[in-house]
Amino acid sequence: MLHSERLGTAAGLQVRFPFTDHRLLSALFNVPAAMKSFDGREKSLLRALGRDVVPPSVLTRTKVPYPITYGSQYKAGLLDRLRELLDDSTAPARPLVDLPAIRRMTEDPALLDRGGWLGRADAEMVLQLDAWMRRLAVRIRL
């Protein structure tokens, strides 16, 4: 089950993905990648095929692979929590994570914006791992 499907199901919603129809996927499976992005943009073929039925605002928007929060308070909160993890020698996730990389991220907050969402995903994953380990009292013995 996809992330979006799990979130929707948790809220009692059924989420549909129109471009995952098995017939469409079967037809496009063998299309060369160069044809799928013939104008240098992602989803060129899909955009071209949908130009008569999809509004221009949808056709021209850039792809966002994972929804992220752009609020400065959220970014500040992530950095605060990462600093707390660095300062907490008892944090259960510490033996499993790259502490120098986390320190670099706290010293250069622009790293949270690396790849649009990848930097934040890295930070969130570390914090979620630590929270999960705390909640379940998981301890690592190395």
Side-chain angles (χ1 to χ4, degrees):
M1 187 180 280
L2 296 171
H3 178 73
S4 302
E5 290 176 299
R6 287 193 306 270
L7 288 174
T9 301
L13 299 172
Q14 281 193 345
V15 180
R16 300 285 185 212
F17 299 92
F19 301 124
T20 58
D21 181 275
H22 68 92
R23 295 165 296 196
L24 180 61
L25 292 177
S26 294
L28 292 176
F29 182 77
N30 289 318
V31 173
M35 287 180 66
K36 293 178 187 176
S37 58
F38 61 83
D39 64 359
R41 290 187 67 196
E42 75 283 341
K43 301 183 182 182
S44 302
L45 183 58
L46 182 61
R47 292 172 197 273
L49 293 172
R51 72 178 167 266
D52 295 331
V53 292
V54 177
S57 61
V58 174
L59 279 177
T60 58
R61 72 179 173 204
T62 56
K63 180 181 176 185
V64 177
Y66 186 80
I68 63 171
T69 302
Y70 291 98
S72 59
Q73 300 90 348
Y74 180 73
K75 189 175 176 179
L78 278 178
L79 291 168
D80 288 344
R81 291 189 55 206
L82 288 172
R83 286 184 193 102
E84 288 171 9
L85 186 129
L86 287 171
D87 292 340
D88 183 358
S89 62
T90 65
R94 281 179 68 97
L96 303 174
V97 299
D98 184 348
L99 294 174
I102 294 172
R103 190 167 313 283
R104 283 191 301 276
M105 197 174 285
T106 61
E107 293 168 355
D108 183 5
L111 292 173
L112 283 177
D113 300 319
R114 176 183 54 82
W117 62 277
L118 292 173
R120 290 180 191 206
D122 288 346
E124 290 164 342
M125 191 176 305
V126 165
L127 295 171
Q128 289 169 7
L129 173 65
D130 191 68
W132 174 82
M133 292 177 78
R134 287 175 191 270
R135 186 170 6 104
L136 297 178
V138 174
R139 296 288 176 236
I140 301 296
R141 291 186 200 161
L142 298 177

mmCIF file of all heavy atoms in Angstrom, residues 49-83:
data_model
loop_
_atom_site.group_PDB
_atom_site.id
_atom_site.type_symbol
_atom_site.label_atom_id
_atom_site.label_comp_id
_atom_site.label_asym_id
_atom_site.label_seq_id
_atom_site.Cartn_x
_atom_site.Cartn_y
_atom_site.Cartn_z
ATOM 1 N N LEU A 49 -0.321 14.073 -24.229
ATOM 2 C CA LEU A 49 -1.567 13.332 -24.430
ATOM 3 C C LEU A 49 -2.745 13.973 -23.699
ATOM 4 O O LEU A 49 -3.884 13.880 -24.149
ATOM 5 C CB LEU A 49 -1.402 11.883 -23.966
ATOM 6 C CG LEU A 49 -0.440 11.038 -24.791
ATOM 7 C CD1 LEU A 49 -0.200 9.692 -24.119
ATOM 8 C CD2 LEU A 49 -0.973 10.847 -26.199
ATOM 9 N N GLY A 50 -2.476 14.668 -22.605
ATOM 10 C CA GLY A 50 -3.555 15.262 -21.832
ATOM 11 C C GLY A 50 -3.824 16.724 -22.112
ATOM 12 O O GLY A 50 -4.698 17.321 -21.496
ATOM 13 N N ARG A 51 -3.115 17.314 -23.061
ATOM 14 C CA ARG A 51 -3.236 18.761 -23.271
ATOM 15 C C ARG A 51 -4.644 19.227 -23.613
ATOM 16 O O ARG A 51 -4.991 20.366 -23.338
ATOM 17 C CB ARG A 51 -2.232 19.232 -24.310
ATOM 18 C CG ARG A 51 -2.534 18.827 -25.723
ATOM 19 C CD ARG A 51 -1.498 19.385 -26.708
ATOM 20 N NE ARG A 51 -1.654 18.725 -27.975
ATOM 21 C CZ ARG A 51 -0.992 17.657 -28.374
ATOM 22 N NH1 ARG A 51 -0.080 17.140 -27.599
ATOM 23 N NH2 ARG A 51 -1.228 17.100 -29.542
ATOM 24 N N ASP A 52 -5.473 18.362 -24.197
ATOM 25 C CA ASP A 52 -6.830 18.770 -24.558
ATOM 26 C C ASP A 52 -7.839 18.554 -23.434
ATOM 27 O O ASP A 52 -8.965 19.035 -23.524
ATOM 28 C CB ASP A 52 -7.300 18.009 -25.810
ATOM 29 C CG ASP A 52 -6.476 18.367 -27.040
ATOM 30 O OD1 ASP A 52 -5.959 19.503 -27.104
ATOM 31 O OD2 ASP A 52 -6.352 17.505 -27.929
ATOM 32 N N VAL A 53 -7.450 17.845 -22.400
ATOM 33 C CA VAL A 53 -8.416 17.532 -21.343
ATOM 34 C C VAL A 53 -7.974 17.989 -19.954
ATOM 35 O O VAL A 53 -8.769 17.955 -19.018
ATOM 36 C CB VAL A 53 -8.727 16.015 -21.305
ATOM 37 C CG1 VAL A 53 -9.480 15.593 -22.554
ATOM 38 C CG2 VAL A 53 -7.465 15.198 -21.123
ATOM 39 N N VAL A 54 -6.732 18.409 -19.823
ATOM 40 C CA VAL A 54 -6.212 18.819 -18.518
ATOM 41 C C VAL A 54 -5.961 20.325 -18.545
ATOM 42 O O VAL A 54 -5.408 20.848 -19.514
ATOM 43 C CB VAL A 54 -4.898 18.052 -18.195
ATOM 44 C CG1 VAL A 54 -4.303 18.507 -16.883
ATOM 45 C CG2 VAL A 54 -5.156 16.551 -18.186
ATOM 46 N N PRO A 55 -6.358 21.043 -17.511
ATOM 47 C CA PRO A 55 -6.139 22.502 -17.477
ATOM 48 C C PRO A 55 -4.656 22.853 -17.564
ATOM 49 O O PRO A 55 -3.809 22.129 -17.031
ATOM 50 C CB PRO A 55 -6.698 22.922 -16.115
ATOM 51 C CG PRO A 55 -7.500 21.781 -15.616
ATOM 52 C CD PRO A 55 -7.013 20.545 -16.311
ATOM 53 N N PRO A 56 -4.338 23.982 -18.207
ATOM 54 C CA PRO A 56 -2.936 24.408 -18.338
ATOM 55 C C PRO A 56 -2.219 24.525 -16.993
ATOM 56 O O PRO A 56 -1.040 24.229 -16.892
ATOM 57 C CB PRO A 56 -3.020 25.761 -19.037
ATOM 58 C CG PRO A 56 -4.322 25.723 -19.766
ATOM 59 C CD PRO A 56 -5.247 24.883 -18.935
ATOM 60 N N SER A 57 -2.930 24.944 -15.955
ATOM 61 C CA SER A 57 -2.289 25.090 -14.641
ATOM 62 C C SER A 57 -1.772 23.751 -14.127
ATOM 63 O O SER A 57 -0.771 23.694 -13.409
ATOM 64 C CB SER A 57 -3.267 25.687 -13.633
ATOM 65 O OG SER A 57 -4.387 24.829 -13.469
ATOM 66 N N VAL A 58 -2.428 22.668 -14.505
ATOM 67 C CA VAL A 58 -1.987 21.333 -14.100
ATOM 68 C C VAL A 58 -0.886 20.845 -15.043
ATOM 69 O O VAL A 58 0.113 20.282 -14.604
ATOM 70 C CB VAL A 58 -3.168 20.343 -14.076
ATOM 71 C CG1 VAL A 58 -2.699 18.927 -13.795
ATOM 72 C CG2 VAL A 58 -4.202 20.781 -13.043
ATOM 73 N N LEU A 59 -1.066 21.098 -16.336
ATOM 74 C CA LEU A 59 -0.088 20.641 -17.326
ATOM 75 C C LEU A 59 1.288 21.274 -17.137
ATOM 76 O O LEU A 59 2.304 20.639 -17.409
ATOM 77 C CB LEU A 59 -0.565 20.965 -18.740
ATOM 78 C CG LEU A 59 -1.566 20.012 -19.363
ATOM 79 C CD1 LEU A 59 -1.989 20.506 -20.734
ATOM 80 C CD2 LEU A 59 -1.000 18.614 -19.464
ATOM 81 N N THR A 60 1.337 22.507 -16.671
ATOM 82 C CA THR A 60 2.611 23.224 -16.612
ATOM 83 C C THR A 60 3.262 23.229 -15.235
ATOM 84 O O THR A 60 4.380 23.700 -15.103
ATOM 85 C CB THR A 60 2.414 24.685 -17.060
ATOM 86 O OG1 THR A 60 1.442 25.306 -16.217
ATOM 87 C CG2 THR A 60 1.976 24.745 -18.512
ATOM 88 N N ARG A 61 2.572 22.726 -14.234
ATOM 89 C CA ARG A 61 3.184 22.764 -12.907
ATOM 90 C C ARG A 61 4.330 21.755 -12.811
ATOM 91 O O ARG A 61 4.337 20.733 -13.482
ATOM 92 C CB ARG A 61 2.150 22.543 -11.806
ATOM 93 C CG ARG A 61 1.635 21.140 -11.705
ATOM 94 C CD ARG A 61 0.627 21.026 -10.572
ATOM 95 N NE ARG A 61 0.016 19.703 -10.604
ATOM 96 C CZ ARG A 61 -1.161 19.433 -10.103
ATOM 97 N NH1 ARG A 61 -1.873 20.388 -9.551
ATOM 98 N NH2 ARG A 61 -1.634 18.211 -10.161
ATOM 99 N N THR A 62 5.289 22.087 -11.951
ATOM 100 C CA THR A 62 6.435 21.202 -11.779
ATOM 101 C C THR A 62 6.050 20.043 -10.872
ATOM 102 O O THR A 62 5.182 20.166 -10.008
ATOM 103 C CB THR A 62 7.638 21.947 -11.181
ATOM 104 O OG1 THR A 62 7.240 22.548 -9.960
ATOM 105 C CG2 THR A 62 8.139 23.020 -12.130
ATOM 106 N N LYS A 63 6.718 18.956 -11.083
ATOM 107 C CA LYS A 63 6.446 17.748 -10.312
ATOM 108 C C LYS A 63 6.990 17.900 -8.891
ATOM 109 O O LYS A 63 8.112 18.341 -8.692
ATOM 110 C CB LYS A 63 7.110 16.548 -10.994
ATOM 111 C CG LYS A 63 6.882 15.242 -10.270
ATOM 112 C CD LYS A 63 7.576 14.104 -10.981
ATOM 113 C CE LYS A 63 7.407 12.833 -10.180
ATOM 114 N NZ LYS A 63 8.129 11.725 -10.730
ATOM 115 N N VAL A 64 6.173 17.550 -7.913
ATOM 116 C CA VAL A 64 6.598 17.501 -6.522
ATOM 117 C C VAL A 64 6.414 16.052 -6.092
ATOM 118 O O VAL A 64 5.291 15.589 -5.919
ATOM 119 C CB VAL A 64 5.767 18.444 -5.631
ATOM 120 C CG1 VAL A 64 6.179 18.319 -4.176
ATOM 121 C CG2 VAL A 64 5.905 19.873 -6.105
ATOM 122 N N PRO A 65 7.513 15.290 -5.957
ATOM 123 C CA PRO A 65 7.387 13.863 -5.712
ATOM 124 C C PRO A 65 6.809 13.507 -4.349
ATOM 125 O O PRO A 65 6.280 12.446 -4.158
ATOM 126 C CB PRO A 65 8.813 13.353 -5.840
ATOM 127 C CG PRO A 65 9.664 14.537 -5.575
ATOM 128 C CD PRO A 65 8.890 15.726 -6.035
ATOM 129 N N TYR A 66 6.905 14.417 -3.403
ATOM 130 C CA TYR A 66 6.394 14.122 -2.071
ATOM 131 C C TYR A 66 5.995 15.449 -1.453
ATOM 132 O O TYR A 66 6.778 16.398 -1.461
ATOM 133 C CB TYR A 66 7.497 13.452 -1.236
ATOM 134 C CG TYR A 66 7.030 12.980 0.109
ATOM 135 C CD1 TYR A 66 6.342 11.789 0.243
ATOM 136 C CD2 TYR A 66 7.267 13.742 1.243
ATOM 137 C CE1 TYR A 66 5.915 11.344 1.475
ATOM 138 C CE2 TYR A 66 6.846 13.303 2.478
ATOM 139 C CZ TYR A 66 6.167 12.108 2.587
ATOM 140 O OH TYR A 66 5.745 11.679 3.802
ATOM 141 N N PRO A 67 4.788 15.532 -0.948
ATOM 142 C CA PRO A 67 4.364 16.825 -0.397
ATOM 143 C C PRO A 67 5.178 17.182 0.852
ATOM 144 O O PRO A 67 5.370 16.356 1.729
ATOM 145 C CB PRO A 67 2.901 16.593 -0.045
ATOM 146 C CG PRO A 67 2.728 15.119 0.029
ATOM 147 C CD PRO A 67 3.771 14.498 -0.841
ATOM 148 N N ILE A 68 5.687 18.412 0.873
ATOM 149 C CA ILE A 68 6.454 18.861 2.032
ATOM 150 C C ILE A 68 5.874 20.167 2.544
ATOM 151 O O ILE A 68 5.193 20.887 1.821
ATOM 152 C CB ILE A 68 7.956 19.047 1.709
ATOM 153 C CG1 ILE A 68 8.154 20.140 0.665
ATOM 154 C CG2 ILE A 68 8.604 17.768 1.286
ATOM 155 C CD1 ILE A 68 9.596 20.537 0.463
ATOM 156 N N THR A 69 6.161 20.459 3.775
ATOM 157 C CA THR A 69 5.746 21.709 4.385
ATOM 158 C C THR A 69 6.839 22.737 4.156
ATOM 159 O O THR A 69 8.004 22.472 4.444
ATOM 160 C CB THR A 69 5.526 21.502 5.895
ATOM 161 O OG1 THR A 69 4.550 20.489 6.062
ATOM 162 C CG2 THR A 69 5.088 22.769 6.580
ATOM 163 N N TYR A 70 6.460 23.886 3.629
ATOM 164 C CA TYR A 70 7.438 24.925 3.352
ATOM 165 C C TYR A 70 7.548 25.944 4.482
ATOM 166 O O TYR A 70 8.331 26.862 4.409
ATOM 167 C CB TYR A 70 7.099 25.640 2.041
ATOM 168 C CG TYR A 70 7.300 24.754 0.840
ATOM 169 C CD1 TYR A 70 6.231 24.083 0.266
ATOM 170 C CD2 TYR A 70 8.561 24.587 0.286
ATOM 171 C CE1 TYR A 70 6.428 23.248 -0.825
ATOM 172 C CE2 TYR A 70 8.758 23.752 -0.809
ATOM 173 C CZ TYR A 70 7.684 23.099 -1.355
ATOM 174 O OH TYR A 70 7.878 22.287 -2.430
ATOM 175 N N GLY A 71 6.752 25.793 5.520
ATOM 176 C CA GLY A 71 6.752 26.744 6.621
ATOM 177 C C GLY A 71 8.098 26.807 7.326
ATOM 178 O O GLY A 71 8.705 25.780 7.632
ATOM 179 N N SER A 72 8.558 28.022 7.597
ATOM 180 C CA SER A 72 9.852 28.196 8.265
ATOM 181 C C SER A 72 9.815 27.634 9.683
ATOM 182 O O SER A 72 10.835 27.175 10.195
ATOM 183 C CB SER A 72 10.251 29.670 8.274
ATOM 184 O OG SER A 72 9.259 30.430 8.945
ATOM 185 N N GLN A 73 8.645 27.659 10.335
ATOM 186 C CA GLN A 73 8.541 27.123 11.694
ATOM 187 C C GLN A 73 8.785 25.609 11.695
ATOM 188 O O GLN A 73 9.370 25.076 12.629
ATOM 189 C CB GLN A 73 7.157 27.402 12.305
ATOM 190 C CG GLN A 73 6.811 28.857 12.415
ATOM 191 C CD GLN A 73 6.103 29.375 11.171
ATOM 192 O OE1 GLN A 73 6.051 28.716 10.129
ATOM 193 N NE2 GLN A 73 5.572 30.569 11.254
ATOM 194 N N TYR A 74 8.318 24.935 10.664
ATOM 195 C CA TYR A 74 8.523 23.480 10.583
ATOM 196 C C TYR A 74 10.013 23.168 10.452
ATOM 197 O O TYR A 74 10.548 22.309 11.134
ATOM 198 C CB TYR A 74 7.743 22.894 9.410
ATOM 199 C CG TYR A 74 7.921 21.399 9.287
ATOM 200 C CD1 TYR A 74 7.313 20.540 10.190
ATOM 201 C CD2 TYR A 74 8.711 20.850 8.287
ATOM 202 C CE1 TYR A 74 7.486 19.169 10.096
ATOM 203 C CE2 TYR A 74 8.888 19.481 8.186
ATOM 204 C CZ TYR A 74 8.273 18.647 9.086
ATOM 205 O OH TYR A 74 8.442 17.292 9.011
ATOM 206 N N LYS A 75 10.673 23.908 9.572
ATOM 207 C CA LYS A 75 12.110 23.711 9.364
ATOM 208 C C LYS A 75 12.867 23.989 10.666
ATOM 209 O O LYS A 75 13.754 23.226 11.060
ATOM 210 C CB LYS A 75 12.575 24.642 8.248
ATOM 211 C CG LYS A 75 13.967 24.426 7.757
ATOM 212 C CD LYS A 75 14.210 25.351 6.555
ATOM 213 C CE LYS A 75 15.604 25.273 6.062
ATOM 214 N NZ LYS A 75 15.836 26.139 4.909
ATOM 215 N N ALA A 76 12.508 25.055 11.356
ATOM 216 C CA ALA A 76 13.151 25.387 12.630
ATOM 217 C C ALA A 76 12.910 24.283 13.658
ATOM 218 O O ALA A 76 13.813 23.923 14.421
ATOM 219 C CB ALA A 76 12.638 26.728 13.146
ATOM 220 N N GLY A 77 11.695 23.735 13.664
ATOM 221 C CA GLY A 77 11.381 22.648 14.586
ATOM 222 C C GLY A 77 12.208 21.401 14.312
ATOM 223 O O GLY A 77 12.671 20.738 15.238
ATOM 224 N N LEU A 78 12.388 21.075 13.034
ATOM 225 C CA LEU A 78 13.226 19.928 12.675
ATOM 226 C C LEU A 78 14.655 20.126 13.181
ATOM 227 O O LEU A 78 15.260 19.219 13.751
ATOM 228 C CB LEU A 78 13.261 19.730 11.154
ATOM 229 C CG LEU A 78 12.125 18.989 10.495
ATOM 230 C CD1 LEU A 78 12.337 18.939 8.982
ATOM 231 C CD2 LEU A 78 11.957 17.596 11.048
ATOM 232 N N LEU A 79 15.174 21.330 12.960
ATOM 233 C CA LEU A 79 16.543 21.611 13.387
ATOM 234 C C LEU A 79 16.670 21.528 14.907
ATOM 235 O O LEU A 79 17.651 20.981 15.422
ATOM 236 C CB LEU A 79 16.977 22.990 12.882
ATOM 237 C CG LEU A 79 17.163 23.086 11.364
ATOM 238 C CD1 LEU A 79 17.308 24.537 10.938
ATOM 239 C CD2 LEU A 79 18.356 22.263 10.921
ATOM 240 N N ASP A 80 15.676 22.047 15.619
ATOM 241 C CA ASP A 80 15.700 21.962 17.086
ATOM 242 C C ASP A 80 15.710 20.508 17.544
ATOM 243 O O ASP A 80 16.476 20.129 18.437
ATOM 244 C CB ASP A 80 14.488 22.676 17.691
ATOM 245 C CG ASP A 80 14.581 24.191 17.588
ATOM 246 O OD1 ASP A 80 15.688 24.715 17.336
ATOM 247 O OD2 ASP A 80 13.533 24.855 17.750
ATOM 248 N N ARG A 81 14.873 19.699 16.951
ATOM 249 C CA ARG A 81 14.803 18.285 17.348
ATOM 250 C C ARG A 81 16.084 17.529 16.984
ATOM 251 O O ARG A 81 16.518 16.652 17.719
ATOM 252 C CB ARG A 81 13.569 17.632 16.732
ATOM 253 C CG ARG A 81 12.294 18.196 17.390
ATOM 254 C CD ARG A 81 11.038 17.483 17.017
ATOM 255 N NE ARG A 81 11.119 16.062 17.276
ATOM 256 C CZ ARG A 81 10.391 15.159 16.615
ATOM 257 N NH1 ARG A 81 9.550 15.529 15.690
ATOM 258 N NH2 ARG A 81 10.513 13.876 16.892
ATOM 259 N N LEU A 82 16.692 17.883 15.850
ATOM 260 C CA LEU A 82 17.968 17.251 15.498
ATOM 261 C C LEU A 82 19.056 17.633 16.500
ATOM 262 O O LEU A 82 19.867 16.795 16.906
ATOM 263 C CB LEU A 82 18.396 17.643 14.080
ATOM 264 C CG LEU A 82 17.595 17.023 12.940
ATOM 265 C CD1 LEU A 82 17.991 17.655 11.613
ATOM 266 C CD2 LEU A 82 17.751 15.517 12.898
ATOM 267 N N ARG A 83 19.066 18.903 16.925
ATOM 268 C CA ARG A 83 20.041 19.335 17.936
ATOM 269 C C ARG A 83 19.820 18.593 19.253
ATOM 270 O O ARG A 83 20.774 18.209 19.925
ATOM 271 C CB ARG A 83 19.935 20.848 18.142
ATOM 272 C CG ARG A 83 20.518 21.655 16.998
ATOM 273 C CD ARG A 83 20.496 23.157 17.281
ATOM 274 N NE ARG A 83 20.761 23.888 16.065
ATOM 275 C CZ ARG A 83 19.831 24.495 15.319
ATOM 276 N NH1 ARG A 83 18.557 24.485 15.699
ATOM 277 N NH2 ARG A 83 20.171 25.114 14.216
#
